[in-house]
């Protein structure tokens, strides 16, 4: 087990990596089940999330899946039942890793057939105690262990990755930055994309003119009401042009119209990943 974070040391029967840090009791915690624990913290150890990790605002614990493998070579996978290409992670191996993680935290499997990760979902996850994340590989994880542990599946997009480690870092980053004190200026969180269902308005800084392009006059006017109105108009324009699915959902909320996610998927061009098309390539995506 590798731990990242800070607090009082605790006795354990299992030797701990001397380079690891003890966990902060009560802090938001990410348990990551992975074949590649060395991939963590990765970018999560940098910038705001890295500083917050070392300050003990959140914990990161990696659970190496290989340690729960079976046989001489600690195999974690086997051929798919019914035939087919690739390999599938065994349910007994994954179950053992989940039991090491403990049952205190909800479990999320990064999967292409999961519900899309949204800002609202990240905000809800940030308000909880933390997560146990499963990083898939190969053709996926045996469905029986997913059902047995009632595991939620989340997708970070309609594309294929070679494994779930990058996706896990995306989910953790999106969530951890919403934990109080991680981002210094909390007001910036309220103004960014998706915070109110719209994409963010354009941003500008000095110099006032760059290569013949000037900052819009209204931004330089000092009229805060006019600036706020312009930013709102730009946010609505960009959302309508670039994300018609978000625009429709936003308008439905404004008018009180019942929300239909199926129409949003059609507008965004998203594929229904749980449908008849293959959900995985040779390697397990998100």
């Amino acid at each position: 087990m590798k731990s990242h974070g800070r607090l009082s040391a605790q006795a354990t029967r299992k030797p701990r990596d001397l380079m690891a840090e003890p966990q902060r009791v009560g802090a938001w915690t990410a348990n990551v089940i992975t074949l590649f624990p060395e991939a963590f913290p990765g970018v999560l150890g940098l910038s705001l999330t890295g500083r917050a990790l070392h300050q003990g605002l959140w914990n990161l614990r990696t659970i190496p899946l290989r340690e729960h493998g079976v046989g001489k070579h600690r195999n974690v996978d086997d051929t798919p039942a019914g035939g087919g290409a690739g390999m599938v992670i065994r349910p007994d191996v994954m179950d053992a890793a989940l039991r090491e993680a403990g049952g205190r935290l909800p479990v999320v499997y990064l999967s292409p057939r999961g519900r899309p990760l949204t800002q609202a979902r990240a905000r809800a996850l940030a308000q909880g105690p933390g997560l146990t994340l499963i990083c898939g590989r190969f053709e996926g994880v045996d469905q029986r262990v997913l059902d047995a542990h009632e595991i939620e599946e989340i997708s970070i997009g309609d594309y294929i990755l070679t494994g779930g480690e990058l996706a896990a870092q995306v989910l953790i980053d999106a969530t951890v930055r919403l934990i109080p004190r991680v981002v210094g200026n909390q007001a910036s969180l309220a103004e960014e994309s998706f915070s109110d269902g719209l994409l963010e308005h354009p941003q500008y800084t000095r110099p006032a003119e760059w290569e013949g392009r000037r900052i819009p006059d209204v931004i330089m006017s000092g009229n805060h009401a006019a600036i706020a109105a312009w930013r709102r108009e730009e946010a609505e324009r960009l959302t309508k042009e670039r994300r018609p699915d978000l625009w429709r959902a936003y308008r439905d909320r404004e008018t009180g119209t019942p929300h239909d996610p199926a129409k949003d998927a059609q507008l965004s061009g998203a594929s229904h990943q749980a449908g008849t098309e293959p959900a995985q390539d040779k390697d397990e995506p998100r």
Side-chain angles (χ1 to χ4, degrees):
M1 178 185 74
K2 294 185 179 180
S3 299
H4 310 266
R6 203 172 53 173
L7 185 70
S8 59
Q10 298 180 355
T12 175
R13 295 180 180 178
K14 186 175 182 179
R16 183 171 61 84
D17 189 336
L18 293 178
M19 295 299 293
E21 299 178 56
Q23 302 283 280
R24 170 79 69 171
V25 174
W28 192 93
T29 298
N31 294 324
V32 183
I33 299 174
T34 173
L35 277 168
F36 299 100
E38 63 274 17
F40 294 87
V43 296
L44 298 172
L46 306 175
S47 189
L48 296 176
T49 54
R51 183 168 67 241
L53 179 63
H54 293 299
Q55 290 175 344
L57 297 180
W58 68 287
N59 298 319
L60 175 62
R61 173 190 177 203
T62 53
I63 300 172
L65 186 62
R66 185 70 66 185
E67 291 183 1
H68 299 282
V70 296
K72 177 181 177 181
H73 300 291
R74 292 194 174 277
N75 294 326
V76 302
D77 56 351
D78 211 326
T79 55
M87 305 291 280
V88 177
I89 294 177
R90 294 171 52 122
D92 50 351
V93 172
M94 183 56 67
D95 179 71
L98 287 167
R99 292 185 184 282
E100 179 184 338
R104 185 177 69 88
L105 301 178
V107 183
V108 167
Y109 171 40
L110 285 308
S111 164
R113 66 185 186 189
R115 294 182 183 277
L117 176 63
T118 64
Q119 188 72 2
R121 188 70 187 108
R123 188 177 298 112
L125 294 173
Q127 294 171 355
L131 290 170
T132 292
L133 298 169
I134 295 175
C135 300
R137 283 275 160 176
F138 318 120
E139 293 300 318
V141 177
D142 189 297
Q143 184 66 40
R144 292 170 295 178
V145 74
L146 301 178
D147 294 340
H149 289 271
E150 298 181 344
I151 294 172
E152 177 184 4
E153 298 185 44
I154 291 181
S155 169
I156 65 166
D158 294 341
Y159 46 85
I160 304 299
L161 299 176
T162 56
E165 285 74 20
L166 287 174
Q169 293 192 21
V170 167
L171 189 151
I172 292 171
D173 184 276
T175 303
V176 164
R177 63 191 304 277
L178 299 175
I179 296 172
R181 295 195 296 149
V182 171
V183 175
N185 184 2
Q186 292 293 303
S188 65
L189 297 178
E191 298 174 358
E192 59 193 8
S193 289
F194 311 114
S195 59
D196 60 356
L198 297 172
L199 300 181
E200 189 176 17
H201 56 77
Q203 297 281 10
Y204 300 92
T205 188
R206 291 179 290 185
E209 182 173 343
W210 174 76
E211 296 192 357
R213 299 173 184 267
R214 292 185 53 80
I215 296 175
D217 291 339
V218 65
I219 298 297
M220 306 295 289
S221 69
N223 185 330
H224 296 294
I227 293 172
W230 180 88
R231 286 174 170 171
R232 188 71 178 187
E233 291 172 0
E234 285 296 293
E236 292 181 350
R237 177 184 65 82
L238 289 172
T239 305
K240 188 185 300 184
E241 290 178 358
R242 300 180 182 182
R243 289 294 301 275
D245 56 321
L246 289 180
W247 175 249
R248 181 181 179 278
Y250 170 76
R251 294 297 298 167
D252 285 349
R253 285 193 299 272
E254 292 291 299
T255 60
T257 304
H259 182 53
D260 184 354
K263 291 185 178 180
D264 290 347
Q266 294 172 1
L267 288 170
S268 67
S271 62
H272 181 45
Q273 294 179 315
T276 57
E277 294 185 356
Q280 291 97 356
D281 204 338
K282 289 185 178 180
D283 290 294
E284 169 66 7
R286 304 155 305 282

